């Protein structure tokens, strides 16, 4: 008894058993992430249906290992059966309002893996800047990035992010938001944005993408052709939020088009006209899509398999969740998790108290909630304060 160790039998190895082999693919909405972890004296076993579950189990295992005062590593006996409640557990980073260096994105992916997040929603471009280097339209970043040399994501950077994420079981969903939120696209794509008018004359400013030109649809087809081959995930995020109609209303050619189409003064119809054509383009490329809730709210005809991303609180978000799922669409919730909104004192509790399924609806509606995303918009966030504000 004198030489008996304070701990039980030394653990020398963790056996990992994966039922379905294969580590070369990409994770998807349907990935199996469940695992079983058995820790008993002299025997450690992690078993999973798929490699994605094994990754989650390894993460749990690493978090169970402790160290005593002598520096000895130990793990307590346990049996864990674990699987995700929701298949989409995402985080949005905005790399347009402030550029985030590659290092900051990779670091975020690491911490996402610690917390078993599985979707990186890359809101890569927006009004302030266009850091994505397009092979098809190199002028977009040359003219639209904060700095065309230092503040861009090259093709190689994007591949690095996608692979770094894949190895952690994280999907990368790119968002190229149109027809609004596109001011940075203008300098590199002449003729794409709508010229705004003051009275009879162009004011020199630009509004959303011009939805009445054939050249617009040729442009978005070519751009999204590239984007859909660069980003392997089945889903693209197409935005569609916060379209300001002021500029469209000021433009005489657009007013004439509205008349011709019989849209009256209803600019939501013009927005729908654009979005529907865009969705047809994306479908033809064999991709699925996620859109912000305005697309649903404004009555755009979308495919039944569209995912509606709920972010607003103009009506309480549980009501929106009920409406979206009642209409038969899948829903993704972000409204209660805008982490860029900070306040004095302890504001983190509210985020943990959210119950995504707390809305009026039948069980089939609840089943249409695929999960949620925390959003970190970049107006006041760059590499210096991203990590502490996020985590």
């Amino acid at each position: 008894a004198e030489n008996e160790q304070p701990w039980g039998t030394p653990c020398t190895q963790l056996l990992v058993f994966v039922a379905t082999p294969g580590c070369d693919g990409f994770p998807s909405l349907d990935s199996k992430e469940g695992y079983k972890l058995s820790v008993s004296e002299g025997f450690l076993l992690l078993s999973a249906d798929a490699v994605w579950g094994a990754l989650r189990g390894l993460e749990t295992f690493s978090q169970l290992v402790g160290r005593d005062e002598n520096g000895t590593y130990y793990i307590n006996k346990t049996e864990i059966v674990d699987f995700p409640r929701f298949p989409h557990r995402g985080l949005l980073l905005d790399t347009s309002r402030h550029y985030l260096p590659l290092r900051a994105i990779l670091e975020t992916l690491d911490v996402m893996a610690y917390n078993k997040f599985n979707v990186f929603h890359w809101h890569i471009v927006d009004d302030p800047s266009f850091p994505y280097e397009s092979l098809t339209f190199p002028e977009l970043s040359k003219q639209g990035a904060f700095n065309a040399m230092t503040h861009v994501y090259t093709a190689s950077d994007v591949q690095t992010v996608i692979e770094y994420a894949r190895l952690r079981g994280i999907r990368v969903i790119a968002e190229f938001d149109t027809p609004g939120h596109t001011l940075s696209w203008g300098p590199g794509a002449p003729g794409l944005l709508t010229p705004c008018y003051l009275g009879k004359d162009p004011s020199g400013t630009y509004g959303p993408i011009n939805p009445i030109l054939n050249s617009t649809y040729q442009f978005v087809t070519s751009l999204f052709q590239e984007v859909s081959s660069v980003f392997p995930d089945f889903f693209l995020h197409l935005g569609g939020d916060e379209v300001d109609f002021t500029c469209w209303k000021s433009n005489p050619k657009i007013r004439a088009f509205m008349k011709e189409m019989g849209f009256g003064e209803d600019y939501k119809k013009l927005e729908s006209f654009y979005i529907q054509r865009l969705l047809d383009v994306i479908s033809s490329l064999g991709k699925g899509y996620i859109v912000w809730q305005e697309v649903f709210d404004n009555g755009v005809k979308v495919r039944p398999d569209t995912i509606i991303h709920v972010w607003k609180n103009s009506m309480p978000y549980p009501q929106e969740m009920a409406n979206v799922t009642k209409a038969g669409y899948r829903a993704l919730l972000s409204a209660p998790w805008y982490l860029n909104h900070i306040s004095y004192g302890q504001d983190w509790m509210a985020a943990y108290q959210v119950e995504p399924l707390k809305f009026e609806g039948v069980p089939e509606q609840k089943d249409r909630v695929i999960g949620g995303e925390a959003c970190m918009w970049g107006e006041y966030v760059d590499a210096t304060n991203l990590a502490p504000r996020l985590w």
Side-chain angles (χ1 to χ4, degrees), residues 7 65-74:
W7 302 108
V65 174
R67 270 184 112 173
D68 69 9
E69 59 276 12
N70 305 316
T72 307
Y73 290 97
Y74 67 90

Side-chain angles (χ1 to χ4, degrees), residues 224 227-229 231-236 279 282-289 303 305:
F224 279 107
V227 167
S228 63
S229 66
F231 292 91
D233 201 86
F234 175 64
F235 288 98
L236 287 172
L279 298 187
I282 305 305
S283 300
S284 73
L285 296 170
K287 290 281 190 178
Y289 42 76
R303 277 207 323 232
D305 57 354

Side-chain angles (χ1 to χ4, degrees), residues 9-11 13-15 35-47 57 60-65 74-81:
T9 321
C11 311
Q13 59 180 0
L14 168 67
L15 293 173
Y35 63 91
K36 288 181 182 162
L37 181 61
S38 179
V39 178
S40 56
E41 220 158 308
F43 188 63
L44 308 178
L45 177 67
L46 167 62
S47 62
T60 295
F61 177 76
S62 79
Q63 293 174 11
L64 292 172
V65 174
Y74 67 90
I75 185 167
N76 290 331
K77 290 183 190 177
T78 187
E79 292 281 335
I80 291 174
V81 178

Side-chain angles (χ1 to χ4, degrees), residues 305-319:
D305 57 354
T306 304
I307 294 171
I308 309 293
H309 198 162
V310 174
W311 69 279
K312 295 173 82 169
N313 264 311
S314 44
M315 78 162 72
Y317 71 80
Q319 184 59 54

